[in-house]
Amino acid sequence: MIPKFLKKRIFKAPVATDSSSETDINPIATKPYSNAPINQLYRKISGQMLDVAVKPKLLGELPEFDADDQTLRFYVLQDYSRSNSILIDLQTQEHNLPPALVGVNDIAHNIKENAAIIFLNHPNAKDSQLSPRLSRLVSAVLQYPELKVRLVPVSILWGRAPEKEDSLFKLLTADNWEDPSITKQLFNIGVMGRDTFVQFHPPQDLRTLINDSLEGNGEGPVVLDSVATYPKNIDLENSGLNDGSSNNNDVENTVQAPSYALVAAADGNRELVRSLQQQLTIYLDKQRASMLGPDLSDRRNLVDKLVYSPAIKHAIEAEAAETGTSTRETRLLAKNYANEMVNDYSHSIVRGFYKFLTWLWTQLYDGVEVHHFERVRELAADYELIYVPCHRSHVDYLLLSYVIYKRGLSIPYVAAGDNLDVPVLGPLLRGAVAFYIRRSFRGNALYTAVLREYMHTLITRHTPIEYFIEGGRSRSGRLLPPKMGMLAMTVHSQLRQTNKPVVFIPTYIGYERIMEGGTYVGELKGKPKESESLIGLLKVGRKIERIFGNVHLSFGTPLHLSDFMTKFDVPANSLPADRTDTPLDDKASAMVDNIGVKVMQHINKAAVVTPVSLLSLVLLSAPKAALDENICREQIALYQGLAQQLAYSDDTVITDMSPQQIIDYGIKLKLIERTPHILGDIIQIAGKQAALLSYFRNNILHVFILLSFLSALVARNGRIERSRLDNIAKQLYPFLQSELFLHYPAHGLAETLNKKIDILIAHGLIIELSDGILSVPETNSKCYQQLQVLATPVGQSLERYFMTLALLAQQGSGNLTENEVVDLCHLLGQRLSVLYADDIPDFFDRALFTSFISALTRLDYLQKDDETGVLTFDQRINDIAHHAKYVLTPDMMQILQQVASLDEAEITHAITEISNKKQRKFGRKR
């Protein structure tokens, strides 16, 4: 489906005729610009006045040009405007680009242009006329094979309000899809001059564009069939191409295989220029759409369209028949559901948020660092963008939208939990980015239908969408298992009706301090979650004077839905377009599950190893969470070196601070402290910060976990054969992969392990002896101490595994359900953490136990009864636990075995108390 604004551009294009009149033979003739001194003075004065009134913001990257003085460069603007041309000239001067309003003279190629700007739509052009300057350049390129011409498309936005014209003021000022009149330009300069945006797009080689257009590979021919091949209505006799010797077959062959000889004719040039002009117009329209977003409908009209759509009509009839209510009552209920969720976009609110957040980030953060955003910009024009970030904080909603908006793309509509729909804040978020959905709506078929249809409406309108695939904020700093609901709705929409190709943008968000840190630790310990409220919002305001370091956003490698559809053999348009209740088949469901896992893996691949996360990883691995400052610097340098020399992924970003700068930075944030000592200063974690720092350590734990695992295997055994190490790693890797969403495939694990062992050997942390034996360094050496610290992080994961396996083995097969195992492990973890682990919350994060049980079930170590939920297993559970002795110390294994030993009375009491607690919690929610 071609959008409305593209139809207007395309289908009003002039059509070639067979007439040989003088007008049609030379349709590009125009009056040349004057180079008189008075004109130059006018430009200078106009430029100075415009420079005072207009302060444009540059979007994207500046174009890069080859150091080739023989290349001619021209800027391509969509519509003629004096103010636009002067504005571009000012921007080229400011950013040291080739000037726009300076003549381009190339005597050798008969090019003499008094400006380097091409207007695709000129007010003096008639229906049959094309861009004069583009036409002259095309002719020159065809005539001179050595001529190099680069075109730089440029977008200019006077304001960024999407088309929702509900006032005369917006009509006159905000940029939308209408061509600018003189009156509107005057208003733009006077009113929107401080809200103007300029983006230089990547340079395009004109000769390459010509070749692609002639061969049918250009973007224009894809959109317009009429220019996909050379026009067949060329007047060969009048053009001089037919000398009487060509037969019909020769003509036909020439038409099918265009050549430079053919396009040298006037009519040929005209059709070629028309094709190129349409390509450039469509390109700039798409870029503009990616910045402005789609046309907006009034919220009330959108709700009505939803309720009266064929899909929702069917859902209403089904619901009415099932519940015995009238169709009118059911339709009213569906409308209420739609009113609950539908966004009410207001550009005024978005602008207000932008100004407020610009101030807020400077108060809270030292900076907002953004990585790999250009890969998003490259896709925005041609793809339906689905942002799928990790969820760390309530700040995520605003931060990601702010970054996207500031960099010139249309902000996505964010799926937000209805717990945020509180007085004051709720309506503001709805007017900016949010559409609200209930936290749980399982079993509510009508609500599900309305939500699916709303998602389908957004996607078919090419609206960028954002949802947090984890379903909630991570309290531990690790990624949570993905929730597939919104992902399945996205796939469901695409299978109902193919629109723009869908691409998922995995996005990593990393903080160096987090507002909710204290409440996260309390919730993991069992304290009830505080409901969002206006009072809670005001409490957060107290923290604005604190410094929270830097915040990082890293955009991972995009995932194309079409690639997954090919992989799983899921055909497009395979679901009815007018139904929301058609279930996904097994292949499509498997595809959704695979996409969810890949999204999580790509989020982790885009991780940012920050100074705070490195400090946390080092100090929490040290005895008593303290190290000599020199040793701390060396350990930080070791971790940086390992991460850089054997990168977890090309997308992973490693801090470039020096180890000493990292330590000083942690002290500045009051996360660690330096204790002076005559034998050397001590660096230790500041009081009560250990639990919080474990959150930031867990952000990057996946980057170092295999190095830690291998180090632990060697460190705990002193010596170990490579073959035994490989066997143990092969047995335990699937559980680490499931917990931390590691991207290394199991079938290539041996090669991955060998690379990591080699780098540990290169750093002297492991010694390779003869006959494939790996050994620890000398006991009193620096490398030995570094190996012990590096071996520590994996320990807590393996301790949780062993404790869970010990509980299962002690209770026996067929005695506990999955929920009971998770609940009991959660209790045991809390007790273990308080008694032996310095109250680190990793031991009592329910999500980690759930992930481990799920991995055991998926790998068929556990079998779950569909009716009772009881878990059964065999001797292989003990075989897995047996490997723990190669990694855990005997003392720790004894402690875990003792903690997991519960008699029948203790089990019954614990399960009863947990059940009562859940009922009280559910009662409070109701």
Side-chain angles (χ1 to χ4, degrees):
M1 182 179 70
I2 301 176
K4 179 179 65 178
F5 62 90
L6 291 187
K7 288 181 180 178
K8 181 181 72 174
R9 300 283 187 197
I10 295 171
F11 296 114
K12 285 189 177 181
V15 180
T17 66
D18 292 332
S19 171
S20 58
S21 65
E22 183 178 351
T23 302
D24 286 340
I25 291 176
N26 186 23
I28 58 176
T30 59
K31 183 180 179 180
Y33 293 109
S34 172
N35 285 317
I38 187 65
N39 193 42
Q40 297 298 324
L41 178 63
Y42 164 75
R43 288 180 178 177
K44 183 176 180 180
I45 296 175
S46 299
Q48 292 175 348
M49 295 176 62
L50 196 69
D51 192 35
V52 173
V54 178
K55 300 297 179 184
K57 302 175 182 65
L58 183 68
L59 302 175
E61 302 294 330
L62 290 171
E64 296 182 1
F65 297 110
D66 298 332
D68 184 358
D69 293 335
Q70 303 303 314
T71 301
L72 306 183
R73 303 173 179 93
F74 289 84
Y75 302 95
V76 181
L77 297 181
Q78 198 159 22
D79 299 300
Y80 174 80
S81 165
R82 291 182 179 85
S83 57
N84 283 351
S85 59
I86 295 173
L87 179 61
I88 291 301
D89 189 55
L90 293 174
Q91 287 292 290
T92 56
Q93 294 177 37
E94 179 179 346
H95 300 292
N96 297 317
L97 296 174
L101 290 182
V102 172
V104 179
N105 296 314
D106 185 350
I107 299 175
H109 300 110
N110 292 325
I111 293 177
K112 186 176 182 181
E113 304 290 345
N114 71 329
I117 299 179
I118 297 172
F119 296 108
L120 298 178
N121 300 301
H122 197 283
N124 295 330
K126 299 179 180 178
D127 288 344
S128 60
Q129 289 181 321
L130 303 173
S131 169
R133 187 161 288 146
L134 179 61
S135 300
R136 292 194 292 270
L137 292 175
V138 168
S139 297
V141 168
L142 294 176
Q143 185 176 356
Y144 301 102
E146 75 281 2
L147 177 60
K148 297 179 181 179
V149 177
R150 298 284 189 274
L151 305 182
V152 183
V154 183
S155 296
I156 301 177
L157 298 181
W158 300 85
R160 287 175 60 187
E163 188 175 274
K164 183 181 179 182
E165 308 304 342
D166 53 7
S167 72
L168 178 62
F169 180 78
K170 287 185 179 180
L171 181 64
L172 290 171
T173 59
D175 211 334
N176 51 40
W177 296 111
E178 298 301 324
D179 297 338
S181 63
I182 294 178
T183 304
K184 186 169 183 178
Q185 282 292 299
L186 291 175
F187 266 84
N188 285 341
I189 294 172
V191 180
M192 306 300 289
R194 306 288 168 152
D195 192 27
T196 302
F197 301 85
V198 176
Q199 181 174 357
F200 294 89
H201 302 292
Q204 307 290 325
D205 179 65
L206 180 56
R207 189 175 301 279
T208 301
L209 293 176
I210 291 173
N211 290 338
D212 289 345
S213 184
L214 292 175
E215 295 170 3
N217 296 331
E219 184 179 345
V222 173
V223 179
L224 253 190
D225 292 337
S226 62
V227 295
T229 59
Y230 195 81
K232 297 182 180 181
N233 58 348
I234 294 177
D235 189 340
L236 296 177
E237 292 185 2
N238 288 334
S239 66
L241 289 175
N242 191 346
D243 58 2
S245 61
S246 299
N247 57 31
N248 292 338
N249 291 334
D250 293 333
V251 174
E252 182 177 354
N253 292 334
T254 304
V255 170
Q256 292 178 350
S259 64
Y260 280 166
L262 180 62
V263 297
D267 282 339
N269 275 7
R270 181 172 58 192
E271 293 303 323
L272 176 59
V273 172
R274 178 176 292 113
S275 173
L276 294 174
Q277 187 163 320
Q278 288 173 347
Q279 291 179 47
L280 291 168
T281 298
I282 292 171
Y283 176 83
L284 286 171
D285 273 338
K286 286 184 176 181
Q287 298 300 324
R288 201 172 187 185
S290 70
M291 292 184 275
L292 291 179
D295 295 351
L296 296 180
S297 294
D298 178 79
R299 182 173 186 269
R300 183 180 61 185
N301 292 334
L302 181 56
V303 168
D304 289 338
K305 289 178 182 178
L306 279 177
V307 174
Y308 287 95
S309 66
I312 299 304
K313 282 184 178 180
H314 180 273
I316 289 172
E317 292 171 358
E319 180 77 8
E322 182 177 347
T323 60
T325 57
S326 67
T327 302
R328 182 178 179 277
E329 291 175 333
T330 308
R331 183 179 295 110
L332 182 61
L333 180 61
K335 189 171 185 177
N336 290 338
Y337 289 157
N339 278 312
E340 281 184 27
M341 62 183 70
V342 171
N343 174 280
D344 189 18
Y345 185 95
S346 167
H347 186 65
S348 300
I349 293 179
V350 170
R351 287 291 302 160
F353 262 118
Y354 178 75
K355 293 180 181 295
F356 169 71
L357 293 176
T358 300
W359 168 83
L360 181 63
W361 301 150
T362 61
Q363 300 300 309
L364 287 178
Y365 303 115
D366 292 334
V368 178
E369 304 292 336
V370 181
H371 311 275
H372 312 308
F373 186 78
E374 283 308 307
R375 60 178 38 154
V376 182
R377 191 188 304 282
E378 291 171 0
L379 296 170
D382 298 310
Y383 290 86
E384 169 66 21
L385 300 183
I386 308 292
Y387 297 91
V388 276
C390 60
H391 201 4
R392 311 289 197 201
S393 165
H394 280 318
V395 177
D396 299 345
Y397 296 98
L398 302 175
L399 183 64
L400 181 55
S401 296
Y402 174 84
V403 166
I404 293 170
Y405 184 82
K406 184 177 181 180
R407 278 157 180 76
L409 295 186
S410 175
I411 58 175
Y413 283 19
V414 183
D418 61 354
N419 57 311
L420 289 179
D421 193 10
V422 297
V424 181
L425 179 62
L428 287 176
L429 289 177
R430 188 190 295 273
V433 297
F435 65 94
Y436 292 112
I437 60 175
R438 296 181 179 182
R439 305 287 291 179
S440 177
F441 47 89
R442 185 184 298 274
N444 190 335
L446 184 59
Y447 185 91
T448 302
V450 174
L451 179 56
R452 281 183 175 176
E453 186 65 16
Y454 182 50
M455 282 284 292
H456 184 62
T457 300
L458 294 179
I459 291 173
T460 54
R461 289 167 57 83
H462 310 148
T463 305
I465 298 173
E466 172 193 336
Y467 47 77
F468 297 97
I469 193 170
E470 297 166 279
R473 292 168 293 158
S474 171
R475 267 64 173 177
S476 67
R478 290 175 170 86
L479 293 181
L480 300 175
K483 306 293 186 184
M484 303 302 182
M486 297 297 289
L487 196 59
M489 289 185 186
T490 305
V491 171
H492 196 279
S493 172
Q494 191 72 356
L495 296 184
R496 286 174 59 189
Q497 178 181 343
T498 301
N499 303 286
K500 270 188 176 181
V502 168
V503 62
F504 298 98
I505 311 294
T507 307
Y508 175 90
I509 303 176
Y511 299 90
E512 293 177 342
R513 293 198 67 167
I514 196 164
M515 288 187 179
E516 302 98 326
T519 62
Y520 284 176
V521 175
E523 289 174 21
L524 287 173
K525 290 181 178 179
K527 292 182 180 179
K529 176 181 177 295
E530 294 183 7
S531 299
E532 286 74 10
S533 64
L534 182 59
I535 295 177
L537 178 65
L538 295 176
K539 288 181 179 178
V540 172
R542 301 176 185 174
K543 303 180 180 181
I544 289 181
E545 295 302 322
R546 303 182 191 177
I547 297 298
F548 286 81
N550 288 295
V551 58
H552 298 264
L553 275 79
S554 182
F555 295 87
T557 301
L559 296 169
H560 295 264
L561 178 57
S562 58
D563 293 340
F564 289 93
M565 293 172 66
T566 301
K567 175 182 176 181
F568 285 86
D569 192 24
V570 176
N573 301 316
S574 54
L575 296 179
D578 59 348
R579 296 283 292 272
T580 63
D581 57 349
T582 308
L584 299 176
D585 61 20
D586 291 341
K587 290 191 295 185
S589 297
M591 180 182 72
V592 170
D593 291 339
N594 187 248
I595 294 174
V597 172
K598 291 299 182 183
V599 166
M600 307 310 285
Q601 291 178 352
H602 277 62
I603 290 174
N604 266 347
K605 287 169 71 174
V608 180
V609 180
T610 66
V612 170
S613 59
L614 264 183
L615 272 175
S616 304
L617 186 64
V618 169
L619 291 177
L620 288 173
S621 302
K624 304 296 182 182
L627 284 173
D628 174 87
E629 184 164 358
N630 288 332
I631 295 176
C632 185
R633 281 197 299 266
E634 292 172 350
Q635 196 74 24
I636 292 172
L638 171 67
Y639 280 33
Q640 281 182 296
L642 291 173
Q644 291 167 350
Q645 295 164 24
L646 189 58
Y648 180 76
S649 166
D650 292 339
D651 290 345
T652 306
V653 179
I654 314 296
T655 177
D656 57 0
M657 281 189 180
S658 68
Q660 187 61 56
Q661 289 174 327
I662 290 175
I663 292 173
D664 295 340
Y665 188 64
I667 294 172
K668 171 189 171 184
L669 295 181
K670 300 180 181 180
L671 296 171
I672 63 173
E673 54 192 18
R674 179 186 286 114
T675 302
H677 194 275
I678 193 171
L679 298 179
D681 293 350
I682 305 296
I683 300 299
Q684 61 185 1
I685 293 177
K688 299 183 179 180
Q689 294 293 328
L692 181 59
L693 287 185
S694 70
Y695 184 96
F696 303 111
R697 174 200 61 189
N698 292 340
N699 288 172
I700 63 164
L701 188 58
H702 62 281
V703 176
F704 298 95
I705 196 68
L706 284 187
L707 291 168
S708 179
F709 181 45
L710 296 172
S711 299
L713 283 171
V714 177
R716 300 294 181 262
N717 294 277
R719 293 186 178 186
I720 188 171
E721 297 177 356
R722 271 206 184 209
S723 58
R724 181 175 293 277
L725 183 149
D726 288 341
N727 289 334
I728 296 171
K730 182 179 179 181
Q731 189 84 19
L732 296 180
Y733 174 73
F735 307 113
L736 292 172
Q737 183 184 35
S738 178
E739 176 184 330
L740 296 171
F741 296 99
L742 304 179
H743 71 87
Y744 307 112
H747 59 79
L749 182 61
E751 181 182 355
T752 300
L753 295 178
N754 286 333
K755 289 181 179 179
K756 294 189 179 295
I757 290 172
D758 290 344
I759 197 171
L760 291 173
I761 293 173
H763 280 269
L765 301 180
I766 293 177
I767 306 299
E768 187 172 25
L769 306 177
S770 59
D771 300 327
I773 302 295
L774 302 176
S775 172
V776 296
E778 291 292 331
T779 306
N780 294 325
S781 67
K782 178 181 72 174
C783 289
Y784 180 82
Q785 299 301 323
Q786 289 181 330
L787 179 68
Q788 295 295 328
V789 175
L790 182 57
T792 300
V794 75
Q796 292 180 353
S797 294
L798 298 177
E799 288 162 10
R800 284 194 311 275
Y801 301 163
F802 183 78
M803 184 179 70
T804 305
L805 295 171
L807 175 66
L808 286 169
Q810 193 262 344
Q811 296 302 317
S813 175
N815 291 319
L816 294 175
T817 67
E818 179 180 355
N819 289 335
E820 289 172 346
V821 172
V822 172
D823 289 338
L824 289 171
C825 287
H826 183 228
L827 285 178
L828 296 176
Q830 287 179 330
R831 185 174 182 83
L832 180 68
S833 179
V834 173
L835 292 176
Y836 304 106
D838 297 327
D839 210 21
I840 298 299
D842 287 51
F843 282 102
F844 43 83
D845 185 356
R846 292 178 57 87
L848 299 179
F849 294 110
T850 301
S851 173
F852 182 54
I853 296 297
S854 297
L856 287 171
T857 304
R858 187 179 68 254
L859 297 170
D860 201 37
Y861 288 104
L862 293 177
Q863 296 80 42
K864 180 179 178 181
D865 187 275
D866 293 335
E867 295 183 2
T868 64
V870 171
L871 299 175
T872 57
F873 51 88
D874 54 28
Q875 181 61 31
R876 291 178 300 158
I877 286 291
N878 293 326
D879 295 339
I880 302 174
H882 176 73
H883 290 301
K885 71 178 184 180
Y886 293 102
V887 185
L888 304 179
T889 64
D891 289 344
M892 178 54 67
M893 291 183 64
Q894 184 178 1
I895 290 172
L896 294 172
Q897 191 77 48
Q898 181 179 355
V899 169
S901 297
L902 301 174
D903 58 32
E904 185 175 349
E906 290 173 321
I907 291 284
T908 302
H909 175 70
I911 291 176
T912 302
E913 286 298 315
I914 292 171
S915 178
N916 292 338
K917 184 176 180 180
K918 288 182 178 179
Q919 289 180 359
R920 290 194 297 269
K921 182 179 180 180
F922 179 74
R924 285 197 301 269
K925 285 185 177 181
R926 289 177 64 91

